[in-house]
Structures are given as structure tokens and as C-alpha cells.
Amino acid sequence: MIPAAFEYHAPKTLRQAVATLRRYDGEARVLAGGMSLVPMMKLRLANLAAVVDLSKIDGLAFIDETANGLAIGPMTTHYAVESSDVVRRVAPILAETAALVGDVQVRNRGTIGGSVAHADPAADLPAALLALEATFIVAGGPRRRTIRADKMFVDAYTSALNEGEIIAEVRVPAMASGTGWSYQKLANRASRFAVVGIAALVATDEAGACTRARVAVTGAGPAPVRARATERYLVGKQLTPANIAKAAARATNGIEFLGDVHGSPEYREHLTAELTKRALTEASERMG
Amino acid sequence: MKINVTINGETRTDDVEPRTLLVHYIREMRGLTGTHIGCDTSQCGACTVLVDGLAVKSCTMFAVQADDATIQTIEGVATDEALHPVQEAFWLEHGLQCGYCTPGMVITLMQVLERNPNPTEADVRRGIAGNLCRCTGYQNIVASAMRAAETMRGETR
């Protein structure tokens, strides 16, 4: 399969990349790792006048430790994230989730910025980034702006990025010490996308009462979301199997479940509750 | 567009369309047909090559993205004198039946074993999650990988 003809641009700066995108007025797309865009072009689901490759821009692939967490460049690959000692220490759920994306070859090229901007409803990283309450610094508008993770994923393949905007940085708050974490997914056997994936972070006080729970669901509906009802139910309660089961049952609240060849809406609903239970259980066992 | 690509030590400048896939460039313009096209949908891994040391599916990359890159294909894995330990292990452990997936399996396993010289069988299976063998000869592929890992660690049987 060969894509339709397009013009290829590999600008040297983010500013040039934004200017090139603008010039094509919606007919050009950003090429990061290409793990989603190239297949879409080959299938001619995306027919573009031009592609703007970010790989020749210096300084877009980095992982820096900041005062309160991590700053990650948009062109940082999943492999770089999964193998980073800093990520494993500061936000281990992100390293663990990145290690479950696709396969070795996909993780070698796929990028964190590309995954977020593409907004595939079954992508893994958005779940972890939602649970971590990450923020995205976006270039391309009149001035740089910040988008919160819970505002970023609008609909299937639709992010909150405007035409011509590019993610310049991903900011990830550090996981507070003692936080337990888990990412659980049922992977599509061919693509390894999540049929459903659940990211969970939990913390308790000295008496064992839950002080914070953050749970995010991907793959289930048109966009990844926080399971707020699950979180609200858990706070203040002991993380007993019974409480976890009741909280997990609430993870399905408000989700419009997708049905496709990989699973019916009913199956995804079942998976959402079951995987939330497993994620909360593992997270509660991993609190330090 | 002009691109400058080094494959197995040989550098060449070629003129390609932006839409030319790397796998087509490697096979048709460079004549290296050891890199196979299986599914052409980024799933089977038969087209895996090393681009700047990273295993990638060359059907999911444009040749223009490999401008100035250094690529290793299956043809560049053995020397005149010796097979690579992964190739040798595939031979000894009967790691191939029809052989179609083998170039991609070998290249991917080179990457997996470079990153984890002491893998468990489960690590190997996770490592080749992106490579399909339609003969379903996975048992011997995994055995080959485990044997190659031993050889590369300097252990002998």
C-alpha cells in the first residue's frame, strides 16, 4: 500500500513547523514517530497535501526532572520513557504504561507527543497521563498555552489542539511518595492497543484510609476519561476488597461504550469494571 | 527528493518520492530483498530493519525519514566468516520453517538481546510481540533466542 502523493517538509525549528502547517490551512499534518499517521496514509484514510516531520528539530526529545516532576519533550519515544531511570523513579506508572504500548518496533519510533495529539481512543499513554494529572504546553497560538490532561482528549481522534498547534512539552507531576500505581489492560492481540485499559493511583493515610485515588479509563469509549465516581467513592475509605469492588463498579458511570469487532459495548463495560478492580488491587498492594 | 542513506556500510544518494516507503527503497532501489513485506500494515514485523541501531518496521516509515540514517538489514548481519549468533542459533534450533518471518525475527531479537542479555522466555516472547510467524513456529524461535543469548553471554553448551 502506497499513500497518495504529498509534499514533505522537515523544518529545523518549531516556529517553522507551525508556519508550514498554517500555510497548508488544515491540509497538512504533523509527523512525529509516524506509528499511526503512516498507516493511516497508506490506507488512504488520511490524504494530505503535506506532512511536517518534526524529527529534524533539535531539542524536542528530552526527559528532564523539574522541581515538581518531569518535563518530557514531545518527540521522546515510548522506549526512552520506559527505559528512563528518572521516569521510573518520579512517575513509575508512566514508564510501566509506555512499556506496554505496541511492540518493540513501535516503541522505538512512537512518541509521547504523537500519542497524545493523535488521541486514539484506545491509546495507552492517555490513561496514565490523565491519572497523573499531566499538562501539555502547546506552541503555535499567539502565545504558548497549557492544556490539562482532562481537557485534552475531546473525542475519538480529536484532541483539544487547534489547527496549527503542536505539543511542545509534557509536564508530569511527580507521584507523591507512598503512592501505589497500576496500569491494567486487555490488549488487542494484533495491534496491542487497549480494548480497555485502566490506570490507577492510590494513597492512604497512616490509618489506612484512602486520601487520594485517581483512575483513568482508555479504550472503553470515544475518549479516555477519569473515573470520577470511582475516585469519589474510595476517598476516606479503607482499600478493602469489598470497597475496591464497589468503587470499580462505578468506573463505568457516564461512559458511552464502543462496540466493534474487538468487543461489544457490554464486553467493554464488563472489562472496565473488572480491570479497574485489578488496577486498584495492584495499586493498593504497591503503596510504599 | 534526494536522500543520503547508508545501508550495511554502503552510502548512496538517491532520488525518491516523499511517499516511497523505506521498505520499497531498501528492496527495489537498493536491491536488498532480504527485508520482506508480509502484512504491509505494521503488524507482522517481517520488514524490520535497524535504523540508527533501533529496530523499526520499514513498511511504516518513509524513505525520506531515513535521510542521513545508517541502516542494517539482514544482509549486513553475518560477516564473510561467520553467522551472527542469532542466525547461528536459528540454524541449530530449527528456528525457521518457511523462513519468511526470519529476517525480521533475527533483527528484532538482535535488539531484544542487546537490551536484555539475560532474558527469560517470557521476555523473549514479549520482545517478539511485533513479529508474526505464520508457520506458528514460535517454540523453536524462542529456543533459538535463548540459545543465542547464551552464546552472546559467552556460555557454551
Side-chain angles (χ1 to χ4, degrees):
Chain A
M1 291 179 292
I2 297 170
F6 60 89
E7 289 174 45
Y8 172 81
H9 298 277
K12 293 278 197 285
T13 67
L14 210 49
R15 188 183 293 268
Q16 285 170 11
V18 168
T20 307
L21 282 176
R22 288 251 175 76
R23 205 161 70 236
Y24 284 93
D25 193 26
E27 300 296 314
R29 287 279 293 273
V30 168
L31 176 63
M35 294 296 95
S36 294
L37 185 61
V38 176
M40 284 172 68
M41 293 174 72
K42 287 174 67 178
L43 292 166
R44 304 208 179 193
L45 295 171
N47 290 307
L48 306 171
V51 153
V52 180
D53 183 357
L54 301 187
S55 70
K56 304 293 181 195
I57 302 174
D58 285 336
L60 292 186
F62 59 86
I63 297 171
D64 291 336
E65 190 166 3
T66 62
N68 46 14
L70 300 169
I72 302 178
M75 291 291 281
T76 307
T77 64
H78 305 317
Y79 176 69
V81 171
E82 75 174 276
S83 61
S84 159
D85 291 334
V86 175
V87 179
R88 286 180 188 175
R89 175 166 48 78
V90 177
I93 192 173
L94 187 61
E96 210 165 277
T97 304
L100 293 175
V101 174
D103 50 49
V104 168
Q105 295 96 315
V106 167
R107 296 195 295 276
N108 275 343
R109 286 197 65 77
T111 65
I112 190 168
S115 174
V116 171
H118 183 56
D120 191 301
D124 297 298
L125 288 189
L129 293 168
L130 273 165
L132 286 162
E133 296 188 332
T135 55
F136 307 99
I137 297 173
V138 173
R143 67 182 78 82
R144 289 196 168 200
R145 67 180 180 125
T146 300
I147 302 176
R148 289 163 37 164
D150 62 355
K151 301 288 181 203
M152 188 52 137
F153 306 103
V154 176
D155 203 347
Y157 306 105
T158 307
S159 74
L161 294 171
N162 293 325
E163 204 62 62
E165 283 189 323
I166 298 174
I167 297 170
E169 196 172 305
V170 180
R171 291 272 174 89
V172 179
M175 285 166 52
S177 70
T179 303
W181 76 92
S182 178
Y183 179 67
Q184 296 286 324
K185 78 163 163 175
L186 182 82
N188 172 325
R189 300 301 287 181
S191 70
R192 313 200 77 78
F193 271 105
V195 179
V196 170
I198 307 289
L201 297 177
V202 292
T204 54
D205 62 18
E206 281 150 23
C210 180
T211 51
R212 196 161 52 175
R214 294 205 298 253
V215 178
V217 184
T218 190
V225 289
R226 287 273 289 275
R228 306 269 185 193
T230 296
E231 298 174 357
R232 275 195 303 270
Y233 182 83
L234 276 182
V235 171
K237 295 195 179 66
Q238 300 284 317
L239 296 177
T240 60
N243 283 338
I244 283 175
K246 281 182 196 150
R250 287 164 164 78
T252 61
N253 284 12
I255 296 176
E256 195 184 312
F257 287 94
L258 299 173
D260 59 22
V261 66
H262 308 298
S264 63
E266 295 75 21
Y267 184 53
R268 279 191 167 81
E269 186 172 359
H270 168 79
L271 280 177
T272 299
E274 177 61 28
L275 293 175
T276 301
K277 188 171 79 184
R278 293 185 198 179
L280 288 170
T281 303
E282 183 177 61
S284 68
E285 289 162 1
R286 285 166 117 184
M287 290 184 300
Chain B
M1 283 190 71
K2 289 263 187 296
I3 58 167
N4 199 48
V5 184
T6 302
I7 305 185
N8 305 331
E10 188 194 334
T11 305
R12 245 174 61 178
T13 302
D14 287 293
D15 198 12
V16 297
E17 274 192 84
R19 62 176 171 165
T20 304
L21 296 167
L22 180 60
V23 70
H24 292 138
Y25 171 73
I26 290 169
R27 288 174 56 87
E28 291 160 26
M29 298 186 74
R30 301 294 289 258
L32 296 166
T33 54
T35 300
H36 291 166
I37 301 172
C39 67
D40 203 12
T41 56
S42 329
Q43 308 204 6
C44 81
C47 65
T48 302
V49 299
L50 295 176
V51 176
D52 292 330
L54 295 173
V56 306
K57 294 179 181 177
S58 60
C59 78
T60 312
M61 192 170 159
F62 295 118
V64 289
Q65 292 177 277
D67 187 23
D68 290 330
T70 298
I71 293 176
Q72 190 177 18
T73 68
I74 192 67
E75 290 90 343
V77 170
T79 63
D80 285 342
E81 291 79 39
L83 294 174
H84 186 280
V86 175
Q87 292 175 304
E88 175 108 3
F90 268 68
W91 176 33
L92 293 170
E93 294 290 338
H94 194 53
L96 60 150
Q97 293 178 42
C98 84
Y100 202 88
C101 72
T102 311
M105 285 285 183
V106 168
I107 298 273
T108 303
L109 282 167
M110 286 166 59
Q111 176 100 93
V112 168
L113 298 180
E114 175 202 341
R115 290 177 177 171
N116 181 3
N118 203 2
T120 62
E121 281 199 19
D123 294 334
V124 168
R125 288 179 188 275
R126 265 196 299 278
I128 56 170
N131 293 75
L132 302 181
C133 168
R134 288 298 72 171
C135 304
T136 68
Y138 294 104
Q139 297 290 356
N140 287 355
I141 290 170
V142 174
S144 303
M146 298 304 285
R147 184 172 190 130
E150 284 176 24
T151 309
M152 291 163 78
R153 289 194 302 264
E155 298 165 18
T156 49
R157 287 195 180 176

